[in-house]
Amino acid sequence: MMQKHKPSTEQIREWLDAVPDPEIPVISLVDLGVIRDIEWQGDRLRVTVTPTYSGCPATGIINLDIETALRDRGIRNIEIVKTLSPAWTTDWISEKGREKMLAYGVVPPQTGTACTSNSPAPEVKCPRCNSENTKLVSQFGSTPCKSSYCCKECLEPFDYFKCI
Amino acid sequence: MKADSDLFEFLLRMGDNTLVLGHRVSEWCGHSPVLEEDIALANVALDLIGQTRMWLDFAGDVEGKGRDADALAFRRDVWDFRNILLVERPNGNFGDTLMRQFLFDAWYHAILSRLAGSSDDRIAAIAAKAVKEAAYHLERSADLVVRLGDGTTESHAKMQAALDDFWPYTGEMFAADTIDTSLTSRGVIPNLAEVRDEWDETVNRVLADATLEIPDGTYQHKGGKQGTHTEHLGHILTEMQFLQRAYPDASW
């Protein structure tokens, strides 16, 4: 036996809240909203994870990081299950995660505005000078989840974590 | 079982469309006119290839012969591919690529939004996820078609030529065969005529904004959905499948 007792799922969630997102390391996997469920099934811990974007290369790393973090805490019998439904949305990113993201220089997504092809462009404030005078450069930025903006006041280019 | 083979064929059609177009678009990586467009094209390709994994893994499960998405992508030959001919057309110039993308995105977004209500739960889950990504693809390709179509004399001429070239490849998206009609009657996929209505509405609106004219001809190429392809697909597979052909079972 590696452990005398099974850690609670709340405890495990806390541990996973210390595992950084591979792309935006200031926020955790829990902040990102990809951990959908944590459940003991007998002696086996089942963690249900949903991918952000279908082709996001970080998905494999995320699973590996979860497993590594839990093994470091002495949990050996781990099953990571992928779920597609309900589909991940940026609305699941935590308030704490949004604050950290902004401080890091990435503008967090606006809540409740998951994109449709006819939705108006969101008003995105510059994370450096707070100006609303910004311009969308491209819907597709440094990763699939971000779009590129430029501030017309301080001229800084920056990322906006787009709604999906 | 007949029902399963219909579902398998449909999933191959979806997965092969996104795989072949994803590969085509990825050919632009490092060659686009500006950095932002290079990144955008690579991101679109990434989404499409990610969606391919979901479609083809499901296809492999339905088939029940132990083939996963990789086996289906890398170890089938041309005649086993079920993508429409439009997506295997060569990239041409940047305007050609954007026009092909727009005509595809308008169809893909329309069918995905309906597949999200499929009687098959796994199709519904895949579609509900993919449609959110496709919304961004359509927004971008439509925007660029308008900018280039209603742009300079030269960009307008290139976009009109691209539309004339690709138009005869669009009908295949809506040409229902017995597989489609059977799956429609089971509630697995939408009626393709409904998808066409939405596509027509989107395409007419965007092309009008782009000051482009829909060509007169009614001739439409078809066959890809049934496995009869143009010479271009073989060349794509030669490159895409090289590693698994030369070094079977090689893994990262």
Side-chain angles (χ1 to χ4, degrees), chain B residues 143-163:
Chain B
D143 180 53
L144 282 168
V145 162
V146 172
R147 284 206 230 178
L148 293 169
D150 190 17
T152 64
T153 313
E154 185 181 343
S155 74
H156 174 85
K158 285 186 175 177
M159 293 310 278
Q160 185 63 54
L163 179 61

Side-chain angles (χ1 to χ4, degrees), chain B residues 125-140:
Chain B
I126 296 171
K129 181 150 196 70
V131 72
K132 303 208 281 181
E133 295 162 6
Y136 276 106
H137 300 176
L138 177 58
E139 186 180 304
R140 168 176 175 273

